[in-house]
Amino acid sequence: MILGRPPLPPHPLMLVTDRHRCPAGRSLASIVDHAVSGGVNLVQLREKDLDAAHLLRLARELMEALAGRALLLVNDRADVAVAAGAAGVHLGAASLPVPEARAVAGLRMLLGRSVHTLEEAQASEAEGADYLVVGSLFETASHPGMKPQGLGLARQVCETARVPVLGIGGITPERVPSCLAAGVSGVAVISALLAAQDPRDAACRFVEALRGQRG
């Protein structure tokens, strides 16, 4: 770990944002606040339809809501992450390669990458990714019609990865034990937290599962 770069927290639980999935009358910042109170320790700001100015405004709003309790990662936009003072950048399949993103973000920021094959995972780690998110592991409303990769891919990636690996895609607290058995360090969640009636309680249930306190 580079001096000054924040480490990934233990039992990582990442909330990936999509403000369009928030229930009517509830702001994204409010839901994030409650989810972090329940144990979310990573928030990935992923709002693909926002321009840089609006994304920066939202990033600063979330930074204020987090108040240092969780790390904020900005999807794709290293420039926005730097301007907002976020902890890092999360790179998708069509994002900048890790070395080029590092040149923009600097050495003190976390860089993660979404991967969908073992080859992508190995290449991303070789380029310097600090963590990987593998999926989709199960069927998910976020990617309708996409065939899930299954836990087999997570197992393959975790067997060779030397950086933390998070699973994503259709993950519920009940599915967390099988994800952990496949070797992942934590999970990333969208709808199960954003659309929950009680985001704090939902996050608590994920944390309990990640810590092995649930069957």
Side-chain angles (χ1 to χ4, degrees):
M1 182 63 65
I2 301 297
L3 183 64
R5 191 180 303 171
L8 219 63
H11 309 295
L13 174 57
M14 177 186 289
L15 169 57
V16 182
T17 77
D18 180 349
R19 70 192 190 287
H20 300 297
R21 294 184 179 273
C22 298
R26 301 174 69 181
S27 71
L28 178 61
S30 173
I31 292 174
V32 167
D33 178 33
H34 284 86
V36 169
S37 294
V40 164
N41 46 30
L42 293 166
V43 176
Q44 182 193 148
L45 177 57
R46 186 182 187 275
E47 304 292 336
K48 293 287 191 177
D49 60 332
L50 290 182
D51 58 34
H54 287 88
L55 190 64
L56 176 58
R57 189 177 306 139
L58 184 53
R60 287 173 171 165
E61 185 179 346
L62 292 187
M63 286 287 287
E64 184 175 349
L66 295 178
R69 298 172 296 160
L71 301 180
L72 180 67
L73 309 163
V74 178
N75 182 278
D76 193 44
R77 297 297 301 261
D79 54 345
V80 173
V82 172
V89 183
H90 185 83
L91 303 169
S95 299
L96 288 172
V98 174
E100 282 74 9
R102 177 71 67 201
V104 177
L107 295 177
R108 294 180 180 273
M109 276 199 173
L110 284 168
L111 289 185
R113 169 78 77 180
S114 292
V115 297
H116 308 286
T117 67
L118 177 60
E119 291 73 22
E120 286 181 2
Q122 292 174 335
S124 297
E125 184 174 355
E127 288 181 342
D130 295 303
Y131 69 89
L132 305 171
V133 175
V134 61
S136 295
L137 299 187
F138 304 96
E139 290 186 4
T140 171
S142 300
H143 295 88
M146 179 182 289
K147 183 179 179 181
Q149 300 286 342
L151 292 171
L153 175 60
R155 191 172 294 109
Q156 286 182 320
V157 171
C158 292
E159 283 176 354
T160 59
R162 291 172 293 177
V163 297
V165 178
L166 281 68
I168 193 171
I171 297 175
T172 63
E174 293 73 24
R175 285 172 167 168
V176 167
S178 62
C179 294
L180 295 177
V184 301
S185 302
V187 296
V189 182
I190 306 174
S191 298
L193 289 175
L194 291 179
Q197 184 174 3
D198 185 341
R200 183 182 183 281
D201 178 68
C204 284
R205 290 188 284 114
F206 273 101
V207 170
E208 289 172 355
L210 286 166
R211 293 178 177 174
Q213 297 170 358
R214 292 172 60 94

